[in-house]
């Protein structure tokens, strides 16, 4: 991606916040994003009426916050997809995806904004730095995922594929997202693998992540792990089909 760092590319950045059962925690997240002058697209992913009402209130309270509503829950992937569609339609070039649960260190936002402006064609990803509050099961699940992602991309380009804090260059990402439908938890993984197949450069920067004791997690240990395993099986075969292309690109790049 030699053209990636083109100096005069105009970067119009917004934030996409998918929300399911995190309507209360999302207020602080929105407040922080707005304080950095970021327009926000909140995606209400089929929350109960009281949750929806809270999100409507937030859009009234803060400037530059748009609400996209799903009547029925679609899943995290479905929510980010709708957010991206709205961002592209509104003319944004880049989107910072942030989880609504407030687990990510929001002080890192300016750094990620700068990185996106400096490398507008690249994918800017958070590399989680957990404190002691991270559940062991989640940490181990990530290790398994990251192993499979290395196999699926035949590279170490993606050291973490699950972090919910990242900046998408929308033109490339939306083209890829339109071609697959992974509405659930496998989305975060699948999009990065597919963007890597498409030749996008991945840049990783540390982001602190903590799990508050009273935090709400939607992660369903059995259901979501099965869905993630299916995603990996499909991506593994996807890699086999693309093997000649991936190898040819590597050879060509080395010369
Ligand atoms: N799990 C889940 N999250 C959704 C859904 N729709 C939107 N989201 C949002 O997607 C983000 C990730 O959800 P979390 O429940 O925090 O999932 P996670 O971060 O992978 O899991 P934890 O590591 O346990 O926090 C949050 O902003 C949710 O509000 C959904 O249907 N299921
Ligand atoms: Mg979370």
């Amino acid at each position: 991606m030699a053209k990636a760092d083109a100096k005069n590319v105009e970067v119009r950045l917004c934030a996409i916040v998918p929300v399911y059962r995190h309507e209360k925690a999302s207020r602080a997240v929105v407040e922080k994003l707005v304080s950095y002058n970021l327009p926000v697209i909140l995606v209400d992913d089929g929350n109960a009426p009281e949750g929806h009402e809270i999100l409507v209130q937030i859009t009234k309270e803060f400037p530059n916050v748009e609400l996209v509503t799903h009547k029925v829950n679609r899943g995290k992937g479905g929510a980010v997809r709708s957010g991206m569609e709205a961002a592209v339609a509104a003319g944004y070039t880049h989107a910072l995806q942030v989880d609504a649960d407030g687990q990510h260190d929001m002080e890192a936002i300016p750094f990620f904004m700068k990185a996106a402006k400096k490398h507008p064609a690249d994918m800017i990803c958070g590399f989680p730095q957990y404190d002691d509050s991270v559940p062991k099961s989640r940490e181990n699940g990530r290790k398994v995922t990251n192993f499979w992602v290395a196999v699926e991309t035949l590279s170490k380009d993606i050291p973490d594929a699950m972090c919910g804090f990242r900046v998408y260059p929308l033109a490339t990402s939306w083209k890829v997202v339109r071609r697959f439908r992974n509405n659930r938890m496998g989305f975060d993984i699948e999009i990065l693998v597919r963007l890597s197949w498409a030749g996008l450069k991945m840049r990783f920067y540390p982001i602190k992540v903590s799990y508050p004791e009273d935090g709400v997690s939607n992660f369903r240990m059995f259901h979501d792990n099965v869905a993630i395993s299916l995603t990996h099986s499909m991506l593994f075969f996807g890699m086999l089909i693309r093997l000649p292309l991936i190898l040819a690109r590597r050879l060509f790049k080395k010369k």
Side-chain angles (χ1 to χ4, degrees):
M1 291 262 133
K3 283 181 239 150
D5 295 337
K7 287 223 167 61
N8 298 319
V9 176
E10 194 200 346
V11 172
R12 270 166 288 136
L13 184 64
C14 69
I16 295 174
V17 186
V19 191
Y20 186 58
R21 296 172 64 228
H22 286 136
E23 61 280 349
K24 290 195 182 119
S26 71
R27 176 183 293 275
V29 172
V30 170
E31 196 170 358
K32 207 71 193 168
L33 291 165
V34 168
S35 77
Y36 292 119
N37 289 325
L38 272 173
V40 180
I41 298 173
L42 267 180
V43 185
D44 173 353
D45 190 24
N47 287 284
E50 312 80 66
H52 176 71
E53 208 32 60
I54 292 176
L55 296 176
V56 171
Q57 273 308 318
I58 292 175
T59 59
K60 286 186 187 153
E61 211 173 299
F62 296 97
N64 254 330
V65 181
E66 181 191 337
L67 185 61
V68 173
T69 303
H70 293 170
K71 289 265 174 269
V72 176
N73 174 252
R74 291 188 198 170
K76 181 182 182 178
V80 174
R81 182 175 230 278
S82 295
M84 271 192 190
E85 191 170 14
V88 170
Y92 295 111
T93 60
H94 289 71
L96 169 68
Q97 175 192 322
V98 194
D99 285 353
D101 53 10
Q103 289 178 329
H104 299 102
D105 174 20
M106 303 296 279
E107 304 301 324
I109 292 170
F111 180 90
F112 278 71
M113 288 169 74
K114 257 191 219 147
K117 283 179 186 154
K118 191 166 175 204
H119 307 289
D122 301 347
M123 185 68 214
I124 309 293
C125 308
F127 183 74
Q129 313 283 298
Y130 296 110
D131 59 19
D132 295 340
S133 59
V134 58
K136 263 276 158 271
S137 56
R138 303 288 286 116
E139 212 179 6
N140 292 335
R142 270 164 202 270
K143 284 185 191 152
V144 175
T145 271
N146 294 334
F147 165 80
W148 279 112
V149 165
V151 174
E152 289 147 15
T153 59
L154 296 173
S155 77
K156 290 189 177 161
D157 292 351
I158 305 178
D160 186 281
M162 293 183 87
C163 186
F165 192 95
R166 45 175 72 166
V167 185
Y168 294 103
L170 283 171
T172 339
S173 307
W174 182 237
K175 253 190 232 155
V176 170
V177 169
R178 285 174 71 159
R179 289 204 296 265
F180 75 93
R181 203 164 273 276
N182 188 337
N183 280 347
R184 297 275 157 194
M185 280 300 186
F187 176 90
D188 281 351
I189 301 166
E190 185 163 354
I191 173 75
L192 284 196
V193 170
R194 287 186 179 275
L195 287 173
S196 165
W197 287 344
L200 217 74
K201 185 168 171 60
M202 309 275 154
R203 293 178 185 271
F204 281 81
Y205 301 101
I207 174 94
K208 286 188 208 146
V209 183
S210 61
Y211 283 71
E213 252 173 52
D214 56 349
V216 176
S217 173
N218 298 313
F219 194 89
R220 292 165 298 169
M221 210 36 88
F222 177 74
H223 197 278
D224 285 327
N225 275 324
V226 168
I228 286 173
S229 303
L230 288 174
T231 299
H232 284 308
S233 317
M234 198 251 309
L235 291 173
F236 178 75
F237 288 108
M239 176 274 288
L240 289 183
I241 293 165
R242 289 169 179 83
L243 196 56
L245 193 80
I246 296 171
L247 294 178
R249 188 179 281 146
R250 293 267 155 88
L251 270 176
F252 184 69
K253 235 185 184 175
K254 281 206 174 120
K255 277 181 188 167

